[in-house]
């Protein structure tokens, strides 16, 4: 089959199929990198006891775990392939929990077991609540996302039982007793799960065969190979069941290039991913809004409202309702329930940040006379809420909702949004670096071209400024200043 490179003219939108391929590839690459990093820590002897462990059992264990995750990804996300990085990562955490809970007792030697201790019965999934909480904290996972996947993991366990000919036992409907038995059974289990995934790749129409990602870490660089890729390399765009069967040395050609900064010598061809930053952002977001009401002002915020001749509380909440309705109407690929959850987080963050803005301004001016004027500006409120939702969407990797889409959805001009970004970042000292960088990139895009669009309110402000400079008062002030010299 002949392959043709795809070249897009400048300004042309990326085709839907290519966008899906890119998202799938990014999410799968991040998942492999995290799995590769975690495997040595969580499974130091593989899926067997240290007494019987060797390089072969370690390799078989690692590939079995990766293929089990890929099967889960097909079953849970179907034809979409799982393009959301955070969704894919939390499914990986579920599969890791499934594997840990089925480890033979003599294989439970990783450092994680100092936290889990004797809390985990053999072959029982999900783990008891205390052990689960410890594992989620160790892997920086969002418990709410994990719990939502529990029913899906039950389906994955049933599929693994059927694939390996196992029986359900007393360990619960999501358990797979005998999944990890001994060194002798590892190779057969790996081959069976591998074959099951190869079938699912076709059935669910996956854009990539992600088994080949496990070969990337050993791929020699182009410079080391004299600028040429090794023989036997195949394309990531094929279903690749035939390519993977050709040779154990066949590896996947990827769009990863040498300029990407290596995270370690062993991962020189794995891109630096935003996963750690996003997990930090989700943790910060949930901590930042903890205890902040979503539907009404806090007591401290209500104190500022009391400075106004008429309380703006009702108008503010009605405005937030309308903005949230716009977000729901533009949900697109996201479920209504998911958008509702993000809106609740955004409203809580809005109330927190509005209070921070008011407190900062009061410290600067040493009085509260400004409050009514500031709180009466609808554009300010909409822009502040847009910044809050940008934090939420960027933290949860909701790429089709973040800037610049957030402006279109909420009917904001880039210049109005720009005016709020800098104080927003300054008023939240604990804002994660990932979000600081994100907002800096948004500012640059606005300043470079978006703020100068014909319909931008910036032009009206510039005209007002020019008129002010040309006024007799301004001219007289300038003449007096020159005469004084």
């Amino acid at each position: 089959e002949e392959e043709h490179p795809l070249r897009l003219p400048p300004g042309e939108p990326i085709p839907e199929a290519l966008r899906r391929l890119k998202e799938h590839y990014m999410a799968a690459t991040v998942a492999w990198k995290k799995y590769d990093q975690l495997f040595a820590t969580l499974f130091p002897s593989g899926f067997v006891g240290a007494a019987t462990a060797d390089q072969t059992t370690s390799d078989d264990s690692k590939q079995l775990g990766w293929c089990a995750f890929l099967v889960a990804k097909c079953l849970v996300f179907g034809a979409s392939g799982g393009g959301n990085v955070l969704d894919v990562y939390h499914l990986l955490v579920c599969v890791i929990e499934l594997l840990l809970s089925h480890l033979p007792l003599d294989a439970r030697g990783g450092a994680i077991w100092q936290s889990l201790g004797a809390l985990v019965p053999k072959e029982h999934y999900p783990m008891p609540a205390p052990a689960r909480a410890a594992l989620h904290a160790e892997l920086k996972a969002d418990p709410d996302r994990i719990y939502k996947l529990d029913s899906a993991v039950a389906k994955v366990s049933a599929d693994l039982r059927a694939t390996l000919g196992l029986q359900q036992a007393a360990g619960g409907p999501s358990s797979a007793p005998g999944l990890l038995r001994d060194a002798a059974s590892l190779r057969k289990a790996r081959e069976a799960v591998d074959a099951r995934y190869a079938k699912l790749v076709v059935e669910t129409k996956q854009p990539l065969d992600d088994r080949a990602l496990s070969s990337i870490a050993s791929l020699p660089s182009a410079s080391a190979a004299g600028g040429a890729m090794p023989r036997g390399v195949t394309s990531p765009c094929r279903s690749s069941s035939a390519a993977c069967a050709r040779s154990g040395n066949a590896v996947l050609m990827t769009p990863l290039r040498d300029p990407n900064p290596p995270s370690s010598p062993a991962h020189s061809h794995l891109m630096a991913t935003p996963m750690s930053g996003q997990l930090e952002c989700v943790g910060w977001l949930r901590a930042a809004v903890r205890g902040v009401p979503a539907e009404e002002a806090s007591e401290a915020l209500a104190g500022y409202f009391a400075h106004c001749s008429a309380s703006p509380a009702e108008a503010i909440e009605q405005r937030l309702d309308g903005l949230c309705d716009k977000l729901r109407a533009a949900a697109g690929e996201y479920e209504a329930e998911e958008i509702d959850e993000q809106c609740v987080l955004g409203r809580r963050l809005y109330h927190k940040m509005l209070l921070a803005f008011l407190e900062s301004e009061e410290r600067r001016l040493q009085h509260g006379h400004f409050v009514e004027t500031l709180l009466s500006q609808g554009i300010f409120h909409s822009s502040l809420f847009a910044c809050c939702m940008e934090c939420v969407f960027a933290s949860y990797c909701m790429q089709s909702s973040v800037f610049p889409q957030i402006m279109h959805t909420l009917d904001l001009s880039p210049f109005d949004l720009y005016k709020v970004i800098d104080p927003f970042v300054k008023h939240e000292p604990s804002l994660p670096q990932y979000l600081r960088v994100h907002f800096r990139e948004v500012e640059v895009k606005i300043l470079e071209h978006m703020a100068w669009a014909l319909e931008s309110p910036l032009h009206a402000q510039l005209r007002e400024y020019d008129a002010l400079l040309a006024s007799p008062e301004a001219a007289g002030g300038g003449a007096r200043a020159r005469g004084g010299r």
Side-chain angles (χ1 to χ4, degrees):
E1 179 185 351
E2 185 180 356
E3 295 181 1
H4 301 279
L6 177 63
R7 177 178 298 174
L8 293 175
E12 282 290 317
I14 297 177
E16 178 62 24
L18 185 58
R19 183 192 65 80
R20 177 173 169 248
L21 176 65
K22 176 185 174 183
E23 291 179 352
H24 178 109
Y25 174 74
M26 288 287 291
T29 304
V30 169
W32 164 253
K33 182 174 182 180
K34 299 302 289 188
Y35 176 74
D36 191 32
Q37 291 172 343
L38 292 170
F39 186 85
T41 302
L42 301 178
F43 308 100
S45 63
F47 298 158
V48 299
T52 56
D54 55 26
Q55 189 59 48
T56 299
T57 58
S58 177
D59 291 344
D60 284 341
S61 298
K62 194 171 189 177
Q63 291 299 323
L64 172 57
W66 179 241
C67 285
F69 164 70
L70 297 181
V71 166
K73 195 154 75 80
C74 288
L75 293 173
V76 174
F77 300 123
S80 72
N84 185 294
V85 175
L86 281 181
D87 287 344
V88 171
Y89 175 71
H90 283 84
L91 179 62
L92 176 63
V93 172
C94 289
V95 173
I96 286 175
E97 180 183 353
L98 180 68
L99 295 171
L100 284 171
S101 62
H102 285 80
L103 273 184
L105 297 180
D106 59 351
R108 298 183 175 187
I112 186 65
W113 291 102
Q114 296 177 7
S115 302
L116 303 182
L119 299 174
V120 183
K122 183 180 178 182
E123 297 185 330
H124 190 288
Y125 181 92
M127 294 179 176
R132 225 179 183 200
L135 180 63
H136 295 166
E138 181 73 21
L139 301 183
K140 298 181 180 179
D142 179 356
D144 290 342
R145 283 182 170 249
I146 298 294
Y147 298 144
K148 288 179 181 179
L149 287 169
D150 277 344
S151 59
V153 176
K155 179 181 177 181
V156 173
S157 294
D159 192 88
L160 289 174
R161 287 197 301 267
T163 299
L164 299 175
L166 306 176
Q167 299 296 319
Q168 182 177 326
S174 298
S175 299
L179 173 62
L180 308 176
R181 287 193 294 263
D182 49 43
S185 65
L186 272 180
R187 177 59 61 88
K188 289 184 178 180
R190 170 192 164 183
E191 291 173 350
V193 176
D194 183 273
R196 173 60 177 151
Y197 173 67
K199 185 177 180 181
L200 285 171
V201 167
V202 178
E203 290 180 357
T204 59
K205 299 180 180 179
Q206 299 293 302
L208 295 175
D209 184 329
D210 298 328
R211 288 174 295 181
L213 286 170
S214 61
S215 303
I216 295 177
S218 59
L219 182 64
S221 67
S223 57
M229 298 302 293
R231 289 184 174 275
V233 177
T234 187
S235 164
C237 299
R238 296 177 189 269
S239 180
S240 82
S241 56
C244 288
R246 285 194 206 117
S247 168
N249 296 323
V251 290
L252 177 70
M253 179 182 288
T254 77
L256 301 176
R257 297 180 173 88
D258 288 333
N260 289 312
S263 58
S264 69
H267 302 101
S268 60
H269 281 267
L270 285 171
M271 67 179 65
T273 71
M275 174 56 68
S276 298
Q278 286 178 323
L279 292 175
E280 179 189 4
C281 291
V282 171
W284 161 79
L285 181 60
R286 292 188 167 275
V289 302
R290 189 173 294 125
V292 180
E295 301 294 336
E296 60 184 12
S298 64
E299 184 177 342
L301 198 53
Y304 282 99
F305 292 171
H307 285 79
C308 303
S309 56
S311 174
E314 184 177 354
I316 287 175
E317 297 307 319
Q318 287 179 351
R319 182 182 293 107
L320 292 179
D321 289 341
L323 294 173
C324 289
D325 287 341
K326 290 181 178 180
L327 291 172
R328 294 186 188 96
E333 64 192 89
Y334 303 114
E335 306 236 348
E337 181 183 0
E338 187 174 11
I339 293 296
D340 287 343
E341 291 177 1
Q342 312 311 342
C343 284
V344 169
L345 289 173
R347 291 180 77 134
R348 286 177 172 168
L349 185 59
Y350 164 86
H351 286 128
K352 170 186 167 65
M353 295 307 300
L354 179 59
L355 178 61
F357 270 65
L358 293 171
E359 290 175 339
S360 174
E361 197 68 3
E362 185 178 38
R363 287 192 299 269
R364 185 178 72 86
L365 298 175
Q366 297 297 307
H367 63 74
H369 305 313
F370 68 93
V371 172
E372 185 160 13
T373 301
L374 179 63
L375 293 181
S376 64
Q377 297 177 13
I379 290 295
F380 163 73
H381 290 287
S382 298
S383 300
L384 178 58
F385 182 68
C387 282
C388 294
M389 291 308 303
E390 184 72 9
C391 279
V392 175
F393 289 148
S395 296
Y396 282 93
C397 197
M398 300 174 73
Q399 296 299 332
S400 62
S401 296
V402 295
F403 180 88
Q405 183 58 42
I406 187 75
M407 296 187 311
H408 306 319
T409 302
L410 300 183
D411 297 324
L412 284 172
S413 75
F415 181 63
D416 288 327
L417 180 63
Y418 171 81
K419 290 188 292 184
V420 175
I421 291 176
D422 186 60
F424 181 92
V425 173
K426 288 181 178 177
H427 292 338
E428 182 48 54
S430 62
L431 192 71
Q433 183 64 17
Y434 179 83
L435 289 176
R436 290 180 182 275
V437 171
H438 176 76
F439 277 118
R440 185 162 64 243
E441 292 173 348
V442 171
E443 283 185 306
V444 168
K445 291 177 182 177
I446 292 176
L447 283 178
E448 281 183 342
H449 61 94
M450 299 178 80
W452 303 98
L454 290 176
E455 66 276 9
S456 173
L458 173 62
H459 298 296
Q461 292 200 15
L462 289 175
R463 286 192 293 270
E464 290 178 9
Y465 182 70
D466 289 341
L468 180 64
L469 289 179
S471 66
E473 293 82 0
R480 287 193 296 272
R482 287 192 295 274
R485 290 197 297 271

